[in-house]
């Protein structure tokens, strides 16, 4: 997980976090929490907790195509 100091507001949870490097972009994670900035006594844009998608990627990469395994809904 990462703590990102960027413009975050209520309602951004679940949004993708993109990383741009040179000429390509990738998804680094998903916003999992919003921590408001209460420095002035009112709610201002604050920090975001970002959950890595690494475990999800590893899960799907470990599955063999047509191996008979499926994801239960």
């Amino acid at each position: 997980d990462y703590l990102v100091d960027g413009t975050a507001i209520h309602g951004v949870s679940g949004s993708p976090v993109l990383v741009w490097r040179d000429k390509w972009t990738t998804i680094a994670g998903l916003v999992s929490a919003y921590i408001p900035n209460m420095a002035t006594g009112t709610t201002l844009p604050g920090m975001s907790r970002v959950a890595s998608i690494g475990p999800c990627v590893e899960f799907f990469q470990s599955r063999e195509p047509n191996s008979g395994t499926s994801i239960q809904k």
Side-chain angles (χ1 to χ4, degrees), residues 1-72:
D1 289 359
Y2 310 94
L3 189 59
V4 177
D5 183 9
T7 303
I9 58 172
H10 180 72
V12 297
S13 293
S15 298
V17 176
L18 305 175
V19 174
W20 181 69
R21 295 181 185 168
D22 297 322
K23 296 182 179 184
W24 56 272
T25 303
T26 188
I27 297 176
L30 299 173
V31 176
S32 61
Y34 158 65
I35 304 162
N37 178 352
M38 301 296 287
T40 63
T42 61
T43 303
L44 298 171
M47 308 275 279
S48 295
R49 180 176 174 215
V50 176
S52 171
I53 62 166
C56 294
V57 171
E58 290 173 12
F59 172 80
F60 286 108
Q61 286 179 339
S62 70
R63 299 292 186 242
E64 292 290 327
N66 303 318
S67 65
T69 60
S70 63
I71 299 171
Q72 300 295 320

